[in-house]
Amino acid sequence: MQPDLDTVFAALADPTRRAILQMLLEDDMAVTDVAEPFDMSLAAISKHLAILTRAGLISQEKRGRLKWCKLEPDALKDASVWMQSFGQFDAINLDAFERFLEQELRPADP
């Protein structure tokens, strides 16, 4: 079952979750590695990961004693199709999404 658009957009609404998605564009990561750059507890990161998983944006699997996270590249397809219906947005591809995330996460100039 595909998550509904509300779930996907709610997951994307948080800057921490967008940063996590950007990190996962590079490669699969262990949960502990995902948590490392953030100034929050592992439990808080786990909650963010659960939201991204429920939205279908990532998947998680146990490998040995570690839980790994993987970006699900087709997860934004329905959101992209929905945005295209307005005629003013191009299809979202992962390269464009990565550029968008980099721009969103860039510190504001003073």
Side-chain angles (χ1 to χ4, degrees):
M1 183 174 103
Q2 288 283 95
D4 63 28
L5 286 177
D6 290 343
T7 305
V8 171
F9 284 120
L12 293 172
D14 184 273
T16 298
R17 292 191 287 270
R18 291 193 306 268
I20 291 169
L21 291 175
Q22 184 176 10
M23 291 166 55
L24 293 174
L25 279 170
E26 300 295 323
D27 200 3
D28 299 357
M29 297 179 77
V31 170
T32 52
D33 294 332
V34 171
E36 186 178 312
F38 297 100
D39 187 24
M40 60 181 71
S41 69
L42 188 57
I45 289 295
S46 292
K47 288 181 183 180
H48 284 295
L49 293 174
I51 291 167
L52 290 169
T53 301
R54 275 194 302 277
L57 298 171
I58 68 168
S59 58
Q60 297 185 61
E61 71 173 302
K62 191 100 164 152
R63 296 182 197 165
R65 293 192 299 181
L66 297 175
K67 189 179 267 192
W68 285 75
C69 302
K70 176 185 174 187
L71 184 68
E72 292 298 328
D74 292 333
L76 292 172
K77 187 181 290 183
D78 288 343
S80 177
V81 169
W82 181 82
M83 288 189 294
Q84 285 179 27
S85 69
F86 290 95
Q88 58 188 350
F89 298 100
D90 292 330
I92 293 177
N93 63 46
L94 288 180
D95 290 335
F97 185 57
E98 181 176 17
R99 287 190 300 273
F100 167 77
L101 288 174
E102 286 172 357
Q103 190 172 24
E104 286 291 308
L105 297 172
R106 188 174 300 138
D109 291 331

